[in-house]
Amino acid sequence: MSANNEAAGDGRAAVKALIRRMEREAPELALFLVYDRPSRAGERPGLERAFFTQRCVSDEQLRQTVEAFRSIGAYVELFEGEREFIGAAASGRLGSLQRRMKVVYNGIEGSIAHDAFMPGRKALVPAVADSYGFLCANSNAYACALGRHKFHYLSLLSSLGLPTPRTWHYRKETGWAGGHSPTEGLKVIAKSTYESWSVGVTDESIFLADSTSTNRVAAIAERIGQSVTVQEFVAGQEVCVPVLATPELMGTPPVVAVLAKAPLDPEAVMTIDDNLMSGGVTYQALTDQDLVGRLHSLALRAFIALELDAFARIDFRVDESGNPFIFDVGVSPGLSRGSSAFASMSHWGFTHEEFLRAILAASLPASGIRTPSGVSPELHLR
């Protein structure tokens, strides 16, 4: 048996153990799901251009999530946004529930713009949860804030020797960070700094840097209502690597993003339109086992460097020579049946219901289910 096959077998066993514990302890669990809902779309004018409504999790997905835990005895309550959750927590009602474990799932997205929500919104739910003594699934407030600023986390990873594309940052108010802009003649891609789902990325986001780059990026910043992160463009495959604490950190099977519009084109990039279109993006298993091992190693290093916890996703572009570059981070990866994280776990034979239970179990306290803060990560790497 190869080392990768042996690791896969160990990984499946570890995930099965997580699921069994969740099923055993569910009657002691109160789960609070905090998600954006379309009813808030009219609150601020900038939410429309941030695709707020389109990015809200569907009612059917929420129903599936609720049922996955209620069916094994957990108490589950859905909150429509952070304000409803904060109100319930402040009232004392949630704290009085007779369940030993009270866990909040932070499903809040960004929707950042000068006329929408402000940066750092993703960090609000874990900060409030902690103040009331609830555990927030996945990462804490600091990691949520850092993990939603592309330029900051890529700069940090680069400084620690992890492979990232060359990266620049532009703000409307102050211009280029440090006065540095992309080298003329370099192929780059311009992205929103704070968003997921490829918000702000269009086919026009890729261009050769030249004397007009500043004006071009300034126009993008104005259009999307936030600062712009510009990366050196890496042609090649886009590969997603979920990382899960079992409690040992491990990477689940890397999956390659396949775009319906251009399934074999190394120059193609994922846009918001691809993410919103049914079948616009699908995922297939990465078969190069040497690359799988390298991606797992890099993903674990990035996960630790960014102080992420329980479950996250590290995204790579892999060039035609097989060189991987970290270009994005998912602090709270999508959980739908069409998500990259579920595609990864499904390659180990897990159903969607089992996947949901495993993800939440990675955050459960007690009995060593989660790597405690302050413990040397070297002791917990698979």
Side-chain angles (χ1 to χ4, degrees):
M1 178 181 293
S2 72
N4 281 333
N5 287 338
E6 185 176 352
D10 291 345
R12 289 189 193 94
V15 173
K16 287 179 180 178
L18 280 182
I19 295 168
R20 286 195 298 270
R21 183 173 187 249
M22 170 56 68
E23 293 171 346
R24 185 174 64 251
E25 299 199 12
E28 296 295 320
L29 172 68
L31 174 59
F32 310 132
L33 302 173
V34 186
Y35 278 90
D36 289 322
R37 306 309 301 140
S39 58
R40 298 190 65 182
E43 286 185 12
R44 307 186 186 195
L47 291 178
E48 182 177 357
R49 65 174 166 180
F51 296 90
F52 178 85
T53 299
Q54 297 92 323
R55 289 194 289 160
C56 287
V57 172
S58 70
D59 290 343
E60 176 59 20
Q61 182 184 327
L62 288 175
R63 186 197 66 76
Q64 292 170 1
T65 303
V66 169
E67 181 58 24
F69 294 97
R70 281 185 180 166
S71 63
I72 54 175
Y75 172 89
V76 185
E77 188 169 347
L78 174 65
F79 295 92
E80 297 192 0
E82 68 279 9
R83 291 187 307 204
E84 188 174 294
F85 164 67
I86 292 169
S91 73
R93 180 176 65 81
L94 302 185
S96 68
L97 291 172
Q98 297 303 301
R99 299 286 175 128
R100 180 172 60 86
M101 297 180 292
K102 298 179 177 69
V103 181
V104 184
Y105 194 87
N106 181 15
I108 294 298
E109 274 293 336
S111 301
I112 306 302
H114 57 75
D115 52 357
F117 295 118
M118 292 293 101
R121 181 174 180 247
K122 183 74 173 176
L124 180 59
V125 169
V128 171
D130 182 64
S131 70
Y132 286 98
F134 306 150
L135 176 70
C136 193
N138 302 337
S139 294
N140 62 29
Y142 169 74
C144 283
L146 176 61
R148 295 303 291 244
H149 194 297
K150 292 183 178 69
F151 179 69
H152 287 167
Y153 69 67
L154 288 170
S155 297
L156 174 60
L157 294 177
S158 177
S159 74
L160 295 175
L162 285 154
T164 65
R166 284 182 285 175
T167 306
W168 300 266
H169 192 241
Y170 181 88
R171 293 176 61 198
K172 178 183 177 181
E173 298 81 4
T174 57
W176 293 103
H180 303 297
S181 59
T183 305
E184 289 196 14
L186 186 69
K187 191 172 187 178
V188 297
I189 179 169
K191 304 177 177 181
S192 57
T193 292
Y194 300 104
E195 295 291 0
S196 57
W197 281 62
S198 300
V199 170
V201 177
T202 68
D203 292 335
E204 287 71 45
S205 297
I206 302 172
F207 56 90
L208 290 178
D210 59 21
S211 60
T212 68
S213 294
T214 296
N215 289 338
R216 184 168 190 162
V217 173
I220 293 173
E222 181 65 28
R223 174 171 58 83
I224 65 176
Q226 62 174 274
S227 60
V228 176
T229 296
V230 179
Q231 296 175 340
E232 179 178 4
F233 181 73
V234 178
Q237 291 182 316
E238 182 170 328
V239 185
C240 306
V241 184
V243 176
L244 187 68
T246 64
E248 293 83 4
L249 294 182
M250 66 174 198
T252 62
V255 290
V256 180
V258 180
L259 304 181
K261 67 184 181 185
L264 300 176
D265 185 358
E267 300 286 333
V269 294
M270 194 182 303
T271 68
I272 182 64
D273 292 333
D274 296 316
N275 278 310
L276 294 177
M277 182 177 68
S278 177
V281 185
T282 55
Y283 299 92
Q284 62 185 30
L286 182 66
T287 57
D288 182 335
Q289 293 305 303
D290 175 68
L291 181 56
V292 167
R294 288 189 288 139
L295 292 180
H296 276 161
S297 176
L298 292 170
L300 295 179
R301 288 174 59 193
F303 187 98
I304 293 167
L306 299 177
E307 300 184 19
L308 300 170
D309 201 0
F311 172 59
R313 192 193 69 241
I314 311 298
D315 295 340
F316 297 82
R317 292 285 287 194
V318 181
D319 70 18
E320 293 177 318
S321 298
N323 300 308
F325 297 87
I326 299 171
F327 79 100
D328 206 353
V329 170
V331 175
S332 295
L335 302 180
S336 72
R337 292 180 183 273
S339 68
S340 59
F342 176 57
S344 171
M345 294 277 278
S346 69
H347 288 299
W348 276 352
F350 293 105
T351 66
H352 188 245
E353 193 173 63
E354 291 171 329
F355 159 74
L356 293 172
R357 293 171 184 169
I359 296 310
L360 190 69
S363 291
L364 288 184
S367 303
I369 281 297
R370 192 171 54 143
T371 302
S373 299
V375 175
S376 173
E378 288 77 13
L379 299 179
H380 295 272
L381 291 181
R382 182 179 299 279

